[in-house]
C-alpha cells in the first residue's frame, strides 16, 4: 500500500487517462478558450504531456516570442535542431553575432525550411559556400541580413541570388562586395526595395549607377562609408526612393547631392 499523500502509479495513470478523455470531449473553440488563459510556456508544457494532449493543445497557429535564450555550453547546432522540432514552421530567425559555422548552416538549411526572414549579421565564420547553401535551401527568403560577414564576396552573392528571387530586403554592409557583385542584383530587380551596402569600400559611381538602372523599385539604400561613391551615380535615382544614407562617403559634394535632389525652381 502506498504512503499517505502519495498517489499509486496505477492511480496516477488512470487520472491522466480520465483527464485526457475529458478534454477530448471538448470542442476546439472551448479548448482555444482554455488555452487563452495560459502562457506560451504553459501551453508548451501541456503539449509535452502525451500525444493526446499534444494534439489538443497545439493550436493551428502558435505565436511564440523568444527575446533571449541562453545557449551557454550548448552546441548551436543541437539547439537549432531542438527549436525546429518544437517550432517547425518558424518564419523569422535571428542568429546575430553568434558563432555560426558550416555545420550550423547545414542544420539551418535542413530544419528551417519555412524561413522568410533570416539575420546572420556579425557571424564572422560565414563564407561564400555557406551563403550559397542558404540560397539553395531557402529560396523563399524575403529578408536576409549579412551585415559584417566580411568573407561573403561577389561570388557568394551571385550564388545566393541564383535561387533567392523573392528578396525585398538585403543587408550586406561591410561584406566584400564590389561593382561586379552588384550586377547579380538584377536577378531580384522586381522585388528588391531595401538595400544596405554601407562599408563596401570597393563600390564606385559606375557600379551604383548601374544598380539604380537595374533596380527601379528601390525605396531605401544605405551607402555609408562608400568612399569611392560621389553622389553622381544617384542622379537617375527612381522617384520611389524614400531613404538614402551617404554619411562617410567623403567624395559626395554639394554638386553630387544636387544631382540626387535638385533644388526647386521658381
Amino acid at each position: 500500500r502506498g504512503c499517505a499523500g502519495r498517489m499509486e502509479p496505477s492511480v496516477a495513470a488512470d487520472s491522466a487517462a480520465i483527464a485526457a478523455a475529458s478534454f477530448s470531449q471538448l470542442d476546439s473553440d472551448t479548448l482555444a478558450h482554455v488555452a487563452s488563459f495560459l502562457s506560451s510556456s504553459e501551453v508548451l508544457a501541456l503539449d509535452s504531456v502525451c500525444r493526446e494532449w499534444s494534439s489538443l493543445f497545439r493550436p493551428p497557429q502558435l505565436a511564440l516570442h523568444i527575446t533571449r535564450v541562453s545557449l551557454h555550453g550548448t552546441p548551436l547546432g543541437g539547439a537549432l535542431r531542438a527549436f525546429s522540432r518544437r517550432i517547425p514552421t518558424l518564419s523569422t530567425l535571428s542568429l546575430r553575432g553568434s558563432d555560426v559555422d558550416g555545420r550550423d548552416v547545414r542544420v539551418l538549411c535542413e530544419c528551417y525550411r519555412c524561413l522568410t526572414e533570416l539575420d546572420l549579421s556579425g557571424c564572422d565564420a560565414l563564407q561564400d559556400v555557406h551563403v550559397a547553401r542558404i540560397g539553395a535551401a531557402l529560396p523563399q527568403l524575403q529578408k536576409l541580413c549579412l551585415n559584417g560577414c566580411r568573407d561573403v564576396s561577389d561570388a557568394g552573392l551571385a550564388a545566393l541570388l541564383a535561387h533567392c528571387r523573392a528578396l525585398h530586403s538585403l543587408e550586406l554592409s561591410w561584406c566584400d562586395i564590389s561593382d561586379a557583385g552588384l550586377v547579380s542584383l538584377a536577378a531580384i530587380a522586381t522585388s528588391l526595395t531595401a538595400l544596405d551596402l554601407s562599408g563596401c569600400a570597393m563600390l564606385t559611381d559606375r557600379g551604383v549607377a548601374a544598380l539604380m538602372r537595374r533596380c527601379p523599385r528601390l525605396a531605401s539604400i544605405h551607402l555609408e562609408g562608400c568612399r569611392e561613391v560621389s553622389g553622381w551615380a544617384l542622379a537617375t535615382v527612381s522617384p520611389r526612393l524614400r531613404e538614402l544614407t551617404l554619411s562617410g562617403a567623403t567624395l559626395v559634394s554639394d554638386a553630387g547631392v544636387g544631382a540626387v535632389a535638385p533644388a526647386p525652381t521658381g
Side-chain angles (χ1 to χ4, degrees):
R1 191 174 65 182
C3 299
R6 180 179 300 175
M7 186 177 293
E8 290 286 351
S10 59
V11 176
D14 291 342
S15 299
I18 292 171
S22 299
F23 276 119
S24 66
Q25 297 175 9
L26 301 177
D27 58 42
S28 58
D29 290 338
T30 303
L31 287 172
H33 181 68
V34 172
S36 69
F37 293 98
L38 306 176
S39 66
S40 296
S41 60
E42 289 170 331
V43 172
L44 291 176
L46 290 172
D47 172 62
S48 304
V49 171
C50 61
R51 290 185 178 178
E52 289 77 13
W53 285 31
S54 176
S55 62
L56 292 174
F57 284 97
R58 181 173 295 171
Q61 294 182 341
L62 175 62
L64 182 62
H65 301 279
I66 302 175
T67 56
R68 180 174 297 179
V69 177
S70 175
L71 298 178
H72 180 67
T74 303
L76 182 58
L80 287 174
R81 287 189 186 279
F83 275 118
S84 71
R85 287 192 293 270
R86 178 61 64 190
I87 319 172
T89 58
L90 189 70
S91 62
T92 301
L93 177 64
S94 174
L95 296 172
R96 176 185 291 265
S98 64
D99 297 325
V100 170
D101 59 19
R103 290 171 297 182
D104 301 325
V105 169
R106 187 177 300 110
V107 173
L108 184 69
C109 293
E110 291 173 356
C111 300
Y112 292 89
R113 293 287 185 161
C114 296
L115 286 180
T116 57
E117 297 186 15
L118 178 61
D119 188 351
L120 296 171
S121 300
C123 297
D124 297 334
L126 281 185
Q127 300 178 2
D128 286 340
V129 63
H130 305 138
V131 174
R133 181 173 296 160
I134 290 170
L138 306 173
Q140 76 283 354
L141 281 177
Q142 298 176 19
K143 181 177 181 179
L144 178 62
C145 303
L146 296 171
N147 297 326
C149 298
R150 296 176 182 270
D151 289 332
V152 174
S153 70
D154 297 340
L157 179 60
L160 171 75
L161 297 181
H163 301 280
C164 291
R165 300 300 181 88
L167 282 168
H168 63 75
S169 177
L170 183 58
E171 298 183 12
L172 299 167
S173 64
W174 304 100
C175 292
D176 192 23
I177 304 299
S178 70
D179 289 349
L182 298 186
V183 174
S184 58
L185 290 173
I188 54 173
T190 59
S191 62
L192 188 64
T193 59
L195 180 63
D196 190 346
L197 295 168
S198 301
C200 296
M202 292 188 290
L203 298 182
T204 68
D205 281 345
R206 177 176 296 180
V208 175
L211 170 69
M212 292 294 105
R213 290 194 298 271
R214 294 188 181 99
C215 301
R217 295 176 59 86
L218 273 175
S220 172
I221 182 167
H222 295 267
L223 296 167
E224 298 178 49
C226 296
R227 291 171 292 182
E228 298 300 318
V229 175
S230 69
W232 288 105
L234 303 171
T236 57
V237 70
S238 167
R240 294 176 180 267
L241 192 68
R242 294 292 180 268
E243 183 179 10
L244 171 64
T245 306
L246 292 168
S247 60
T250 54
L251 291 183
V252 175
S253 63
D254 292 343
V257 173
V260 179
T265 59

